[in-house]
Amino acid sequence: MIRSVSLAVVFAAAALQAAPPKLDDATKQLARDIYKQLIEINTTDSVGNTTTAAEAMAARLRAAGFPPSDVQVLAPNPRKGNLVARLRGSTNQKPLLLLAHLDVVESKREDWSLDPFTFTEQDGYFYGRGTSDDKAMAAIFIANLIRYKREGWVPKRDIIVALTADEETGDFNGASWLVKEHRDLIDAAFAINEGGSGRLKDGKRIYNGVGASEKVYVSFRLETKNKGGHSSVPRPDNAIYELAEGLTRLEKFQFPVELNDVTRAYFERMSKLEEGQTAADMALVAKGDADASARLSQTAVYNALMRTTCVATRLEGGHADNALPQMARATVNCRVLPGDSADAVRDTLINVLNDPGIEVTWIDKPKPSAPTPLDPAVMGPIEQVTNEFWPGVPVMPLMATGASDSLYLRNGGIPSYGVSGLFADLNDSRAHGRDERVAVPAFYESMQFLFVLVKRLAS
C-alpha cells in the first residue's frame, strides 16, 4: 500500500513538473513571429526555397543559445534545404525526433480571397499557405525548442527537430534523403510528425487523432491503341470508347473490406461518439458485418478507410477533331491498404477491366509503409496529456488515406506517430485548398499540448 501511494506521488510530481508555464504575451508573440516568418517565405516547388526557411529557423536557434554544431542546414539542392537541430539530453537513451516539412503546395493569388503568402489574422483565424500543412507544427517545434533552452530544461533523451523539403512534391531532398544520407543526425527511438490532429464537430471536440498508419500511393497508366482513320467513317474499334468501357467497369468495382489494428480501433472508438445507424454500423463493421460495411461505404471517408481504392484522375485521347483516335489514355491513382500487395492490385485492375486491348503499366512503384505499433510507452503519455488539456476527449488511432514523410521513417526503422493537438472542424479541411487557415486559439493550444507532450516523452 505504501508503495502504491509513493508511485502515485511520483506520477503526480512528474505531471506537475511537465505542466507548461502560463502562456504569456511574450511567448505567444515569439510563436506568432516564427509562424508569420515561415508563411511569408515561399517554399513551393516551382519558385520557392526551403533553404531560406531552414536558415531563418537556424538563425533563431543560434540566437537562443544553441551551439552551431547542434544546428545544421543541409541542402542537397540549393533551393531544397533541411534544418536539423538538437537539444542535448542527460542520458544516452535514443533521441525523440520532431519532424515537420517546410515545403507547401502551389497556390495562385487569383484562387484565394487574400494573398496566400501574406500571413493574415482575420476573424479569429490565421490564414496563409501552409498554416495547417505543415508550418504550424514547424513553427511550434522551433518556438518550443527555444522555450526549453531558455528555461534551462535538460531532457533525459536528446530532442531532434528536423524541418524538411520535398514532402509535397517527391522524395528527393527531404526526409527520405536524411534517412538515407544522414541517418546519424536524425536517428531516434521514435518520431512525432504530422498525420494526426484533433477534430471538432459543431464546435465540440470529438477526438484527438494519432496517425499510426497510412495507405500506399501508386498510379497506373491505362492505354488503348489502334490504327485510327477518318472521322467521317466511324468504326466499332474506337480507342476512346474501348477505354471508357473499361473505366466504367472499374467505376462499379469495389475492393474488399479489410480492417487492420488501427482502423478497427478507429471504428470501435468512433461508434461511441457517433449516433444512430452510423454508430451501430461502426460497432458492427469492426466485427466484420457486411451489411454495416455496405452502409458505411456510402460515406466516402469511411469507404476509403475500409478498403484499397483505385480511381481515374486524368484522361486524354485522340490527336485531331476530324480523325478517329489512335490512342486513349487514363491515369488511375490507387491508395493501397498497408500490407496489401500493389502487384495484386494491378492484377485486380487487369481482371476488372477485362480487356486485353487495355494496357496497364506502372507510373510509379509503390513504397510500402508498415503501420506503427500502438506502443503504450508513447500512446500512454499522449492519452494522459490529452486528458489533462481536454478532459473526456478520446485519443483516436488513425490511418491516413493520404501519405506523409512518416513513410520514410517507418521504412527506415523509426516508428512515427502523427499527433499535434491542433483541432479543426471535421468538415472544413483546407489543406492544399483555397484560403487555408488555422483557428488562432487552436494554434496556441497545440503549442502548449506539444510543449508538455514532448517533455513527457523525453523525460
Side-chain angles (χ1 to χ4, degrees), residues 203-217:
K204 179 182 178 182
R205 292 182 181 85
I206 56 175
Y207 65 75
N208 188 21
V210 178
S213 178
E214 59 189 29
K215 282 185 158 181
V216 177
Y217 179 106

Side-chain angles (χ1 to χ4, degrees), residues 27 102 128 133 230 253 289 349 352 398 401 408 427 447:
T27 303
L102 293 168
D133 186 15
H230 202 288
F253 173 77
D289 187 284
L349 281 179
V352 170
L398 302 177
T401 54
Y408 306 108
N427 300 310
M447 180 182 178

Side-chain angles (χ1 to χ4, degrees), residues 112-418:
W112 282 49
S113 63
L114 35 74
D115 185 349
F117 297 105
T118 297
F119 185 73
T120 304
E121 183 175 348
Q122 180 175 295
D123 302 326
Y125 290 90
F126 291 130
Y127 287 86
R129 175 55 85 217
T131 46
S132 64
D133 186 15
D134 184 31
K135 289 182 175 179
M137 287 189 77
I140 286 168
F141 287 155
I142 295 298
N144 283 345
L145 209 62
I146 291 171
R147 295 169 72 189
Y148 298 144
K149 188 72 171 178
R150 285 178 175 175
E151 70 177 31
W153 176 65
V154 179
K156 284 190 175 179
R157 62 174 88 233
D158 289 5
I159 297 173
I160 303 168
V161 170
L163 307 184
T164 60
D166 277 358
E167 194 274 345
E168 300 289 5
T169 54
D171 61 355
F172 310 110
N173 305 292
S176 63
W177 180 78
L178 288 173
V179 170
K180 182 179 178 181
E181 302 294 338
H182 295 280
R183 175 61 183 260
D184 59 312
L185 293 180
I186 62 164
D187 195 28
F190 57 94
I192 298 298
N193 187 24
E194 64 172 348
S197 58
R199 285 292 176 256
L200 302 166
K201 186 175 182 181
D202 300 325
K204 179 182 178 182
R205 292 182 181 85
I206 56 175
Y207 65 75
N208 188 21
V210 178
S213 178
E214 59 189 29
K215 282 185 158 181
V216 177
Y217 179 106
V218 62
S219 291
F220 299 95
R221 178 177 294 110
L222 280 52
E223 192 168 69
T224 55
K225 295 178 181 178
N226 62 42
K227 64 182 181 180
H230 202 288
S231 63
S232 65
V233 189
R235 299 194 319 271
D237 59 340
N238 184 296
I240 290 176
Y241 293 159
E242 183 179 12
L243 179 62
E245 288 172 0
L247 290 174
T248 298
R249 288 190 286 274
L250 177 60
E251 177 196 10
K252 299 180 185 305
F253 173 77
Q254 283 190 320
F255 284 82
V257 171
E258 295 180 60
L259 299 187
N260 53 45
D261 289 345
V262 173
T263 52
R264 187 172 289 106
Y266 171 83
F267 283 117
E268 286 173 348
R269 297 186 187 190
M270 280 297 291
S271 70
K272 298 175 176 62
L273 303 177
E274 285 285 357
E275 299 176 346
Q277 187 65 56
T278 299
D281 286 342
M282 286 179 164
L284 290 169
V285 77
K287 300 175 182 178
D289 187 284
D291 291 336
S293 65
R295 286 188 292 269
L296 285 177
S297 294
Q298 301 305 308
T299 301
V301 66
Y302 300 147
N303 179 68
L305 289 173
M306 292 190 295
R307 51 169 53 91
T308 290
T309 60
C310 289
V311 61
T313 55
R314 302 187 71 174
L315 190 63
E316 59 180 305
H319 61 284
D321 292 348
N322 59 352
L324 297 176
Q326 295 174 235
M327 178 278 294
R329 181 184 298 135
T331 296
V332 170
N333 179 246
C334 300
R335 304 300 175 114
V336 182
L337 289 172
D340 278 7
S341 163
D343 288 313
V345 170
R346 180 178 180 271
D347 292 342
T348 299
L349 281 179
I350 292 170
N351 291 333
V352 170
L353 295 169
N354 193 29
D355 183 347
I358 302 177
E359 183 182 13
V360 179
T361 57
W362 301 91
I363 292 178
D364 48 35
K365 284 291 186 177
K367 301 179 183 70
S369 177
T372 295
L374 299 176
D375 186 347
V378 180
M379 294 300 294
I382 293 173
E383 290 172 344
Q384 293 165 9
V385 177
T386 297
N387 190 59
E388 290 165 18
F389 273 72
W390 309 290
V393 174
V395 169
M396 190 69 65
L398 302 177
M399 179 186 74
T401 54
S404 74
D405 278 337
S406 288
L407 162 71
Y408 306 108
L409 299 182
R410 290 174 179 138
N411 287 345
I414 302 173
S416 184
Y417 298 84

Side-chain angles (χ1 to χ4, degrees), residues 60-68 70-71 85-87 145-146 149:
R60 285 184 175 273
L61 292 176
R62 293 183 190 115
F66 284 82
D70 286 340
V71 181
R86 185 180 295 253
L87 177 65
L145 209 62
I146 291 171
K149 188 72 171 178

Side-chain angles (χ1 to χ4, degrees), residues 32-41 56-57 60:
R32 190 186 190 282
D33 289 346
I34 294 171
Y35 201 15
K36 172 181 168 65
Q37 186 176 22
L38 285 175
I39 297 300
E40 296 188 349
I41 298 172
M57 296 302 101
R60 285 184 175 273

Side-chain angles (χ1 to χ4, degrees), residues 1-15:
M1 183 67 180
I2 294 174
R3 183 174 182 272
S4 298
V5 171
S6 299
L7 284 173
V9 170
V10 169
F11 284 128

